[in-house]
């Protein structure tokens, strides 16, 4: 085969033509023969199965039936004409319906002749099948075909331009016939033989034209493995390179700031998990490589203190540090907390936010550049180009999933070498996902809560139980506790959501009247100053109830609050519910989370609520979330690009992912530069992949 043939523009394939080529390009990104070959089916239909009309069920997906048309007529309806044929087999009858192409169908369809029809059925006073695929039984039996029919990704535009699934299959057949396509093997022989993989060529052929269930399964395994293997190879190589090439600032000193804080000012004993993580961090920053570490720890696990102690190490070594948070509320809280913790240490800490005045900024810029500012805390504002450091050695990013990759990389350029980076997240990322997404980050986990925390009791209550819930709130307030009451705010239904919030506030205000009770309300439409004022009243304990939208989700710390009521809980995602629940249970008192819903619940909502009631473990919750939503939806993974997988699925193919990672590490341990003879093919493929950015584009 001419190796360049796969680069042929798709327009040249017989049966494609300019109009279809255009829509293939715009809808599926298919420009060349090669791209078409790597359009993998989403699923397969078992065409060995035939249905009888009396076996049809209302839930049937696509079915295949043998029968005859006994009459055909045009029916005029309000919304236009349609062609209706009566189709029978020896068990019953149904209708075939066409909304387009009437003339052609009338002229070509044969009455009383056996056909094989295929399509989706609908039920309305009997079964019907719109726009069936049809083939004369006689022809059908003559044609050689595979038993499993591939179903390719499709869009409405594609089918409107005549690029139906059937058309794609025809194109694929044409392509394989025209090019006699063969692929060199893209995996090293020892891997292929150890894992008993089928060859690349066989895999590609069988993914489109499966000869049997068994070969299809092997083809899928082989292609999924390969896809995940090269991603892991890339991630691990990046990590090795970073460790070798990117010089970091070695923080070799453990000096007076760190020691004096540790000995005299630490307000509590560190948990073992916190100690372990600090050790891991010290190992990183003490070496000459740059640290790039993800710190995962459930809400309330005490990540802040770990961050602060790392910053003290930076200062001990003559460097500056910055801490970036996603919201003004959270940045503010970090600022106050860290000021308090370091008040006896004589270090200069400042806060920079979008709302900082010109005067404040001028001072901050000056102190940053002359080196007298030790710790800068802030929001996105710290990323601005105007913000220049004298000697930034460490950047900490809190609640990382709210920041984009691009923003993170801005921090890298704030010194002549990139500073050490510590990313802290309270949304536990399941290991599987972390492995694929952050394969080039090191991961630390705080898997232990500070002592004395009682686990939060979570219950699910219906709106009809509201009286009891209010009584419970009254009892807790009597004991001196405070209550959160959170309403959803979804952008699409913002106006309605604000109405819910206000209605809710009024009903609470009626049941808990002033002056005995005081209520705070906080939402996104308030001016920042008003918001801060209301928040402050609650923090100080002047109000007993805080009615709010999800603005309080991140970070807010009021240890005396013991009840979290989440209204319309069915509308929240799992990770959000877990974050919200984390606002209580911060003091020594027993805390509660009450999930309020209506009676109508989807099965996903039920699963989410049951999961919340069952467990407090963030990792457990994250796994369920991943299963419910799929990886694409989770915390900004869309932008990572890593998850643009063609065939593998990080959740379902978890085991293959682990195997792929194992082999990638094994190969690189033995041969980090891929220069051994046996790894030549890996090296070549890897280079091609780097060149084309897409692992499927290198094959020829
Ligand atoms: P998160 O990991 O959610 O950011 P924080 O750092 O805000 O958690 O810590 C939550 C609370 O627990 C804070 O009030 C903090 O002072 C406290 N805390 C942290 N570590 C410990 C510890 N080892 N012992 C007792 N309390 C701790
Ligand atoms: Mg935190």
């Amino acid at each position: 085969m001419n190796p360049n043939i796969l680069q042929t523009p798709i327009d040249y394939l017989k049966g494609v033509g300019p109009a279809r080529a255009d829509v293939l390009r715009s809808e599926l990104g298919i420009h060349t023969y090669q791209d078409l070959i790597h359009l993998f089916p989403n699923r397969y239909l078992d065409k060995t199965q035939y249905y009888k009309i009396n076996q049809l069920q209302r839930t049937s997906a696509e079915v295949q039936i043998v029968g005859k048309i006994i009459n055909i007529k045009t029916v005029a309806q309000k919304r236009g004409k349609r062609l209706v044929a009566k189709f029978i087999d020896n068990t019953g009858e149904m209708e075939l319906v066409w909304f387009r192409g009437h003339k052609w169908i009338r002229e070509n369809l044969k009455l009383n002749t056996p056909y094989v029809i295929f399509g989706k059925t609908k039920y309305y006073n009997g079964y019907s099948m719109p726009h069936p695929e049809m083939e004369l039984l006689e022809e059908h039996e003559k044609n050689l075909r595979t038993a499993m029919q591939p179903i390719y990704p499709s869009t409405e535009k594609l089918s409107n331009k005549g690029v139906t699934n059937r058309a794609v299959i025809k194109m694929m057949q044409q392509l394989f016939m025209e090019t006699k396509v063969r692929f060199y093997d893209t995996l090293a022989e020892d891997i292929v033989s150890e894992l008993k993989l089928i060859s690349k060529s066989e895999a590609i052929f069988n993914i489109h034209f499966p000869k049997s269930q068994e070969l299809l399964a092997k083809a899928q395994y082989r292609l999924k493995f390969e896809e995940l293997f090269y991603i892991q190879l890339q991630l691990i190589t990046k990590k090795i390179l970073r460790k070798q090439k990117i010089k970091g600032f070695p923080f070799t000193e453990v000096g007076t700031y760190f020691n004096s804080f540790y000995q005299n000012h630490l307000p509590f004993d560190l948990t073992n998990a916190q100690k372990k993580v600090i050790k891991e961090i010290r190992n990183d920053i003490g070496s000459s490589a740059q640290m790039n570490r993800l710190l995962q720890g459930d809400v309330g696990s005490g990540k802040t203190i770990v961050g602060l102690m790392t910053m003290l190490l930076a200062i001990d070594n003559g460097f500056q540090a910055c801490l970036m948070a996603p919201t003004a509320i959270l940045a503010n809280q970090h600022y106050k907390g860290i000021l308090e913790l370091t008040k006896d240490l004589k270090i200069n800490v400042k806060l920079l936010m979008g709302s900082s005045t010109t005067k404040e900024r001028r001072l901050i810029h000056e102190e940053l550049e002359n080196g007298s500012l030790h710790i800068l805390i802030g929001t996105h504002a710290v990323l601005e180009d105007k913000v220049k450091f004298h000697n930034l050695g460490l950047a900490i990013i809190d609640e990382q999933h709210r920041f984009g990759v691009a923003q993170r990389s801005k921090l890298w350029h704030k010194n002549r070498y990139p500073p050490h980076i510590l990313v802290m997240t309270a949304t536990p990322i399941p290991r599987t996902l972390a492995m694929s997404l952050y394969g080039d980050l090191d991961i630390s986990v705080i898997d232990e809560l500070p002592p004395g925390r009682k686990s939060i009791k979570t219950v699910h209550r219906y709106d009809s139980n509201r009286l009891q819930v209010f009584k419970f709130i009254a009892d807790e307030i009597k004991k001196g506790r405070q209550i959160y009451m959170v309403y959803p705010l979804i952008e699409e239904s913002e106006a309605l959501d604000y109405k819910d919030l206000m209605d809710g506030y009024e009903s609470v205000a009626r049941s808990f009247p002033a002056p005995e009770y005081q209520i705070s309300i906080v939402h996104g439409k308030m001016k920042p100053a008003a918001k801060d004022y209301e928040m402050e009243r609650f923090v100080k304990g002047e109000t007993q109830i805080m009615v709010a939208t999800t603005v309080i989700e991140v970070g807010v710390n009021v240890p005396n609050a013991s009840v979290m009521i989440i209204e319309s809980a069915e509308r929240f995602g799992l990770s959000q519910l877990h974050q919200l629940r984390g606002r209580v249970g911060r003091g020594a008192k027993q805390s509660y989370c009450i999930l309020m819903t209506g009676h109508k619940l989807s099965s996903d909502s039920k699963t989410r609520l049951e999961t919340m009631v069952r467990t407090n473990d963030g990792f457990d919750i994250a796994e369920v979330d991943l299963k419910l939503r799929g990886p694409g939806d989770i915390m900004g993974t869309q932008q990572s690009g890593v998850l643009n997988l063609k065939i593998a699925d990080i959740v379902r193919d978890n085991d293959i992912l682990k195997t792929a990672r194992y082999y990638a590490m094994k190969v690189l341990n033995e041969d980090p530069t891929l220069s051994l003879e046996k790894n030549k093919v890996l090296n070549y493929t890897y280079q091609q992949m780097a060149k084309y950015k897409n692992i499927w584009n290198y094959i020829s």
Side-chain angles (χ1 to χ4, degrees):
M1 171 186 83
N2 169 3
N4 289 328
I5 195 162
L6 287 181
Q7 300 310 327
T8 313
I10 196 68
D11 312 57
Y12 293 96
L13 189 68
K14 206 176 138 206
V16 172
R20 286 182 171 190
D22 275 347
V23 60
L24 282 171
R25 274 189 289 265
S26 64
E27 292 294 291
L28 295 172
I30 293 175
H31 297 261
T32 61
Y33 284 16
Q34 168 140 294
D35 296 336
L36 182 62
I37 279 189
H38 294 100
L39 177 71
F40 296 140
N42 288 334
R43 60 197 175 90
Y44 300 81
L45 292 171
D46 188 352
K47 283 246 181 162
T48 53
Q49 276 269 38
Y50 288 91
Y51 280 77
K52 291 288 183 191
I53 292 174
N54 71 354
Q55 292 171 327
L56 292 177
Q57 286 176 358
R58 292 184 199 192
T59 52
S60 300
E62 289 95 340
V63 293
Q64 180 171 247
I65 308 170
V66 180
K68 296 174 193 169
I69 292 174
I70 53 171
N71 67 53
I72 188 159
K73 59 177 189 279
T74 304
V75 179
Q77 276 205 325
K78 254 185 270 161
R79 276 189 279 133
K81 276 203 294 192
R82 36 181 206 148
L83 198 59
V84 178
K86 187 180 271 187
F87 184 81
I88 60 161
D89 68 3
N90 54 9
T91 70
E93 62 173 67
M94 63 186 288
E95 289 183 341
L96 309 183
V97 186
W98 292 268
F99 301 95
R100 303 180 295 272
H102 297 180
K103 185 162 173 280
W104 189 90
I105 292 161
R106 273 202 180 266
E107 282 166 11
N108 288 278
L109 274 191
K110 298 187 171 137
L111 294 185
N112 299 311
T113 319
Y115 273 97
V116 180
I117 64 162
F118 180 80
K120 280 187 188 146
T121 56
K122 292 200 166 135
Y123 186 85
Y124 180 75
N125 286 339
Y127 284 97
S128 67
M129 186 184 288
H131 290 262
E133 285 182 18
M134 305 192 61
E135 196 171 25
L136 286 168
L137 181 62
E138 208 184 303
E139 296 285 324
H140 185 83
E141 285 169 345
K142 266 194 280 180
N143 276 348
L144 198 79
R145 65 182 66 241
T146 61
M148 255 95 45
Q149 181 187 296
I151 304 290
Y152 290 96
S154 181
T155 67
E156 204 173 316
K157 270 204 188 126
L158 281 167
S159 34
N160 285 345
K161 293 275 179 207
V163 187
T164 57
N165 195 53
R166 200 175 183 184
V168 176
I169 293 173
K170 284 227 163 104
M171 287 178 207
M172 213 62 90
Q173 281 167 340
Q174 179 64 29
L175 198 159
F176 273 75
M177 274 174 357
E178 229 177 75
T179 61
K180 304 276 183 301
V181 81
R182 302 293 304 165
F183 296 93
Y184 78 86
D185 216 290
T186 38
L187 289 171
E189 260 172 41
D190 54 343
I191 298 179
V192 172
S193 71
E194 257 180 64
L195 286 172
K196 300 199 176 60
L197 301 175
I198 59 174
S199 75
K200 177 74 174 214
S201 280
E202 246 185 308
I204 291 281
F205 186 83
N206 276 284
I207 207 78
H208 294 296
F209 309 106
K211 287 187 196 141
S212 64
Q213 285 282 7
E214 198 195 346
L215 270 168
L216 173 60
K218 286 191 168 162
Q220 287 172 322
Y221 189 92
R222 152 91 211 208
L223 295 173
K224 287 175 178 181
F225 175 83
E226 176 166 344
E227 183 170 44
L228 295 169
F229 174 80
Y230 276 102
I231 290 171
Q232 291 303 319
L233 204 65
Q234 190 184 28
L235 287 171
I236 299 165
T237 307
K238 259 200 210 159
K239 182 156 147 184
I240 294 174
L241 278 181
R242 180 168 52 74
K243 292 213 158 147
Q244 282 171 351
K245 289 224 179 110
I246 301 183
K247 275 188 75 155
F249 303 111
F251 295 176
T252 48
E253 291 282 308
V254 179
T256 38
Y257 287 117
F258 184 92
N259 281 328
S260 124
F261 180 77
Y262 190 68
Q263 280 150 22
N264 308 321
H265 305 297
L266 200 58
F268 36 67
D269 291 332
L270 294 178
T271 62
N272 287 329
Q274 285 169 321
K275 286 185 194 159
K276 178 195 72 185
V277 169
I278 290 175
K279 228 181 248 163
E280 287 166 352
I281 291 173
R282 276 177 55 184
N283 267 339
D284 281 1
I285 59 185
S287 77
S288 54
Q290 181 227 12
M291 172 170 78
N292 211 11
R293 191 169 276 280
L294 178 71
L295 172 55
Q296 296 193 48
D298 217 338
V299 255
S301 62
K303 296 182 293 293
T304 315
I305 202 90
V306 171
L308 172 62
M309 291 175 73
T310 312
M311 293 199 277
L312 295 178
L313 284 170
I315 301 169
D316 272 337
N317 286 273
F319 289 91
Q320 295 166 302
C322 85
L323 168 60
M324 197 163 81
T327 64
I329 290 175
L330 190 54
N332 216 332
Q333 191 170 300
H334 275 316
Y335 175 66
K336 285 187 185 145
I338 286 175
L339 264 191
E340 173 67 25
L341 284 166
T342 59
K343 62 176 188 288
D344 299 324
L345 289 183
K346 300 205 179 62
I347 57 178
N348 184 2
V349 184
K350 292 249 152 71
L351 177 67
L352 177 66
M353 306 204 288
S355 58
S356 301
T357 62
T358 318
K359 198 172 144 209
E360 287 165 338
R361 278 167 197 266
R362 202 174 297 140
L363 180 64
I364 288 174
H365 290 173
E366 190 185 312
E367 290 187 345
L368 274 181
E369 287 177 45
N370 70 23
S372 62
L373 183 53
H374 297 108
I375 294 179
L376 178 66
I377 295 172
T379 54
H380 295 81
V382 308
L383 292 173
E384 290 166 12
D385 292 332
K386 280 173 291 184
V387 178
K388 297 197 183 80
F389 290 81
H390 172 65
N391 200 8
L392 179 66
L394 168 72
I396 299 181
I397 303 172
D398 197 16
E399 308 293 348
Q400 79 93 27
H401 63 278
R402 305 224 167 179
F403 290 104
V405 178
Q407 291 170 318
R408 234 184 294 157
S409 81
K410 272 200 144 180
L411 284 168
W412 280 53
H413 302 291
K414 294 248 176 211
N415 203 344
R416 61 184 194 287
Y417 299 140
H420 295 297
I421 305 271
L422 182 66
V423 170
M424 306 198 294
T425 175
T427 309
I429 301 166
R431 279 215 87 77
T432 18
L433 196 57
M435 234 155 70
S436 335
L437 273 183
Y438 301 109
D440 67 329
L441 290 190
D442 295 303
I443 298 178
S444 287
V445 181
I446 303 186
D447 50 7
E448 180 188 359
L449 292 181
R453 297 273 170 82
K454 292 209 174 66
S455 83
I456 302 160
K457 284 195 181 137
T458 303
V459 295
H460 172 201
R461 292 287 179 266
Y462 295 99
D463 292 334
S464 48
N465 306 128
R466 191 167 294 276
L467 275 180
Q468 286 156 275
V469 173
F470 277 12
K471 168 148 190 335
F472 177 75
I473 297 178
D475 288 347
E476 283 291 301
I477 294 176
K478 232 177 251 148
K479 290 190 216 156
R481 314 271 192 277
Q482 290 165 284
I483 318 290
Y484 288 109
M485 197 172 247
V486 178
Y487 284 80
L489 182 61
I490 316 283
E491 265 164 46
E492 303 90 70
S493 44
E494 195 181 76
L496 273 180
D497 286 345
Y498 273 113
K499 186 176 176 304
D500 282 354
L501 175 78
M502 289 309 170
D503 290 350
Y505 173 75
E506 274 162 29
S507 120
V508 179
R510 272 195 304 275
S511 303
F512 297 91
E516 191 186 352
Y517 299 98
Q518 294 292 323
I519 305 173
S520 289
I521 179 163
V522 173
H523 58 75
K525 283 198 172 159
M526 292 163 70
K527 294 240 163 65
K531 215 160 41 180
D532 287 351
Y533 172 76
E534 287 287 314
M535 206 74 125
E536 208 51 45
R537 292 210 304 150
F538 188 68
V539 172
K540 285 191 195 139
E542 292 169 9
T543 61
Q544 296 91 14
I545 301 175
M546 156 77 83
V547 177
T549 55
T550 44
V551 286
I552 62 148
E553 183 191 340
V554 171
V556 179
N557 193 15
V558 182
N560 189 48
S562 66
V563 183
M564 167 62 69
I565 295 169
I566 305 176
E567 297 287 341
S568 304
E570 72 274 23
R571 294 178 56 199
F572 289 89
L574 258 180
S575 78
Q576 227 180 354
L577 289 172
H578 182 60
Q579 290 277 323
L580 284 169
R581 178 167 62 183
R583 297 305 109 212
V584 296
R586 304 200 142 218
K589 305 293 181 311
Q590 176 62 55
S591 292
Y592 305 88
C593 174
I594 303 175
L595 306 167
M596 303 294 296
T597 74
H599 280 278
K600 254 196 199 155
L601 295 171
S602 72
S603 88
D604 277 8
S605 307
K606 276 188 200 144
T607 308
R608 288 196 296 265
L609 297 164
E610 282 159 14
T611 305
M612 287 296 292
V613 171
R614 173 174 64 78
T615 180
N616 272 297
D617 177 349
F619 282 92
D620 190 350
I621 289 169
E623 292 284 353
V624 177
D625 199 25
L626 186 59
K627 285 204 181 104
L628 285 181
R629 296 202 296 166
D633 275 343
I634 294 198
M635 23 191 176
T637 52
Q638 301 89 330
Q639 0 150 324
S640 79
V642 177
L643 293 172
N644 286 334
L645 298 176
K646 279 227 178 254
I647 185 162
D649 175 316
I650 301 208
V651 185
R652 266 175 291 155
D653 302 321
N654 188 4
D655 288 343
I656 309 181
L657 173 63
K658 282 186 197 150
T659 314
R661 186 167 174 82
Y662 168 82
Y663 275 93
M665 291 216 266
K666 190 171 155 197
V667 167
L668 289 170
N669 273 339
E670 190 188 25
D671 182 15
T673 53
L674 299 180
S675 37
L676 292 181
E677 184 58 30
K678 66 169 182 176
N679 291 332
K680 237 179 158 169
V681 55
L682 298 182
N683 196 350
Y684 177 75
T685 310
Y686 185 84
Q687 299 301 333
Q688 296 294 309
M689 167 179 129
K691 205 151 107 194
Y692 294 110
K693 295 260 166 36
N694 171 345
I695 72 158
W696 297 110
N697 279 342
Y698 54 84
I699 306 156
S700 67

